[in-house]
Amino acid sequence: MDVTWTPRERDFRALAREWLTEHVPREPLPSGDTRDGFAAHLEWERTLFEHRWSVVSWPHAYGGRDASLWEWLIFEEEYYRIGAPQRVTQNGIFLLAPTLFEFGTRRQRDELLPRMASATDLWCQGWSEPGAGSDLAGIRARAERDEQAGGWLLNGQKTWTTRGAFCTHLFGLFRTDPAQERHRGLTYFLVPLDTPGVTVRGFDRLDGDEGFADVFFDNVFVPDEDRRGVPSVLGEVGKGWQVAMATTGSERGLTLRSPGRFLRTADRLVELARERQHEVSDGLVERITEGWMRAQAYQAFTLAQVTDIVEGRPPGARSSMNKVFWSELDIDLHETALDLLGPDGQLDGPWSRGFQFSLAGPIYAGTNEIQRNIIAERVLGLPRK
């Protein structure tokens, strides 16, 4: 693995830094998990798109810059370094889009990706259901074939749908063959949320923001193709599990949580310690140092993973190792900050809110218990019992 940057990559970093310095909002935006905050974030994301910074690694035809994965990592580092706003379009851009590139038809890619990049279509993820949270193979929402009408009737409920109350479209798994069990007989659907029969009901998180939603499907008809000729099924009917695994690979692996996020959090922790140097015990110094080193280690691991991808070795089940590492690192960095802040850590602020969010890390994108099972069985080759 060569960890030096080429002259082109250094130029790319300089260009990204210059643009972000000039355009990032001077004042922090309100939470993207509130209706007003979401609208403010969309305005920012559309500014990114206008200047081709919203999807740097995508082809130019879809609004990107044809940047390499290395350049994408550089952009992410610069984005977090300057403290740019949270990306509220992340479920579409970072989760669905890689799956579209891998499994989508040319029509799906040409029609859906530019609207996703420009924050015109806003996608949420329909995975979890009541009774099927961490166990994705246990979903019960179903899709029944209507051959005469040329489409599918969807029924069921999705829950814990991140920013579902503010989105326009949903991607998710539905059971199309009830005779099959677990991973078989599932199909991956793309559904506009304004389709008759869809009800979206937002609900509050622990911090009071309307960050989640229940989505109900009551005889929702989804045609084989919409009026633009875009298929409503991604991949093959009955093969949705394989498609979904590509999405979860993005969620647990490289794209959702790039190292730039944790490098910046670790640097902020060091800055906090310097501000409060007279309150930092030897024990806290050790924890801060360890947290900073783990963030660097995550970056090195990610660089190795990108090397593998570029050389044709996809991460597969090893993406579960990423997920366990970054989710636990996020909690540890924030816990250390709160311990450093003492009573001030109980006040509402970036560290306390970041800590609350970090607690969800071991749960979303598949619980860490499930990820450890995957690592044991599929990476280490250990027996199931």
Side-chain angles (χ1 to χ4, degrees):
M1 181 176 72
D2 182 357
V3 296
T4 59
W5 300 115
T6 66
R8 169 183 161 144
E9 289 160 349
R10 287 196 292 270
D11 289 345
F12 182 86
R13 183 186 294 278
L15 185 65
R17 181 174 294 189
E18 180 182 5
W19 188 88
L20 289 166
T21 301
E22 184 177 346
H23 290 86
V24 166
R26 296 289 180 263
E27 298 295 327
L29 300 181
S31 168
D33 295 318
T34 64
R35 199 164 291 276
D36 290 343
F38 189 83
H41 280 258
L42 282 186
E43 186 176 343
W44 160 246
E45 303 237 7
R46 286 164 183 157
T47 301
L48 285 172
F49 174 74
E50 289 170 9
H51 295 268
R52 294 191 176 273
W53 290 109
S54 68
V55 287
V56 295
S57 61
W58 291 16
H60 196 273
Y62 297 151
R65 289 174 172 261
D66 286 310
S68 68
L69 277 177
W70 306 108
E71 290 167 333
W72 173 75
L73 284 173
I74 288 170
F75 177 73
E76 288 283 297
E77 283 184 20
E78 292 301 316
Y79 193 89
Y80 282 105
R81 186 193 65 80
I82 202 167
Q86 168 195 30
R87 300 293 299 273
V88 296
T89 57
Q90 64 178 18
N91 281 344
I93 289 174
F94 296 146
L95 302 186
L96 176 58
T99 313
L100 277 169
F101 279 114
E102 184 173 355
F103 290 95
T105 65
R106 177 65 182 268
R107 191 74 171 180
Q108 285 173 323
R109 294 195 296 270
D110 288 350
E111 293 290 337
L112 301 181
L113 290 172
R115 295 176 62 83
M116 189 187 298
S118 62
T120 303
D121 292 344
L122 308 168
W123 291 85
C124 60
Q125 178 175 265
W127 274 180
S128 298
E129 298 180 4
S134 61
D135 182 13
L136 184 59
I139 66 167
R140 296 182 177 179
R142 65 187 189 279
E144 299 174 67
R145 183 69 187 159
D146 186 336
E147 203 65 56
Q148 187 173 11
W152 299 83
L153 278 176
L154 309 186
N155 283 282
Q157 178 186 350
K158 301 293 182 180
T159 191
W160 302 111
T161 308
T162 303
R163 302 189 190 95
F166 315 134
C167 289
T168 61
H169 291 69
L170 175 143
F171 58 92
L173 280 182
F174 291 78
R175 195 164 290 283
T176 46
D177 185 351
Q180 299 284 337
E181 295 184 350
R182 303 291 296 167
H183 311 97
R184 299 183 179 86
L186 298 167
T187 300
Y188 196 117
F189 281 90
L190 308 172
V191 187
L193 289 176
D194 61 355
T195 307
V198 175
T199 301
V200 180
R201 187 180 301 161
F203 60 88
D204 293 347
R205 300 185 313 201
L206 181 65
D207 60 7
D209 290 350
E210 190 183 357
F212 294 117
D214 283 315
V215 183
F216 300 89
F217 298 85
D218 183 10
N219 285 325
V220 175
F221 179 71
V222 177
D224 290 334
E225 293 182 352
D226 68 13
R227 62 182 184 280
R228 298 169 296 173
V230 179
S232 298
V233 170
L234 181 56
E236 296 180 39
V237 172
K239 302 289 186 183
W241 185 259
Q242 291 92 325
V243 186
M245 288 304 96
T247 306
T248 59
S250 299
E251 189 175 23
R252 296 165 186 165
L254 180 63
T255 54
L256 184 64
R257 294 288 180 256
S258 69
R261 174 191 179 107
F262 305 102
L263 291 171
R264 178 58 189 145
T265 304
D267 285 344
R268 285 174 52 219
L269 183 58
V270 172
E271 291 164 9
L272 181 66
R274 285 175 177 151
E275 292 169 7
R276 293 177 172 246
Q277 55 184 302
H278 300 300
E279 305 168 46
V280 183
S281 65
D282 290 344
L284 278 172
V285 168
E286 188 172 335
R287 289 169 60 190
I288 293 165
T289 305
E290 181 181 348
W292 187 88
M293 291 172 63
R294 288 173 64 198
Q296 301 295 320
Y298 181 60
Q299 183 193 35
F301 179 82
T302 303
L303 293 173
Q305 192 175 68
V306 170
T307 301
D308 283 344
I309 293 171
V310 170
E311 296 178 356
R313 298 184 294 274
R318 285 176 296 151
S319 62
S320 294
M321 296 165 62
N322 287 47
K323 199 272 174 172
V324 170
F325 192 90
W326 60 248
S327 59
E328 295 182 352
L329 171 63
D330 204 23
I331 291 177
D332 289 346
L333 290 172
H334 284 87
E335 276 186 338
T336 302
L338 294 189
D339 288 344
L340 175 54
L341 286 166
D344 291 344
Q346 305 302 313
L347 302 175
D348 187 27
W351 284 113
S352 59
R353 283 191 168 247
F355 174 68
Q356 290 173 31
F357 184 80
S358 73
L359 294 177
I363 300 172
Y364 67 79
T367 65
N368 281 11
E369 288 78 6
I370 294 291
Q371 304 315 306
R372 286 190 163 89
N373 282 342
I374 294 172
I375 294 166
E377 294 170 14
R378 296 173 56 192
V379 178
L380 301 177
L382 298 178
R384 300 195 69 174
K385 294 183 179 178

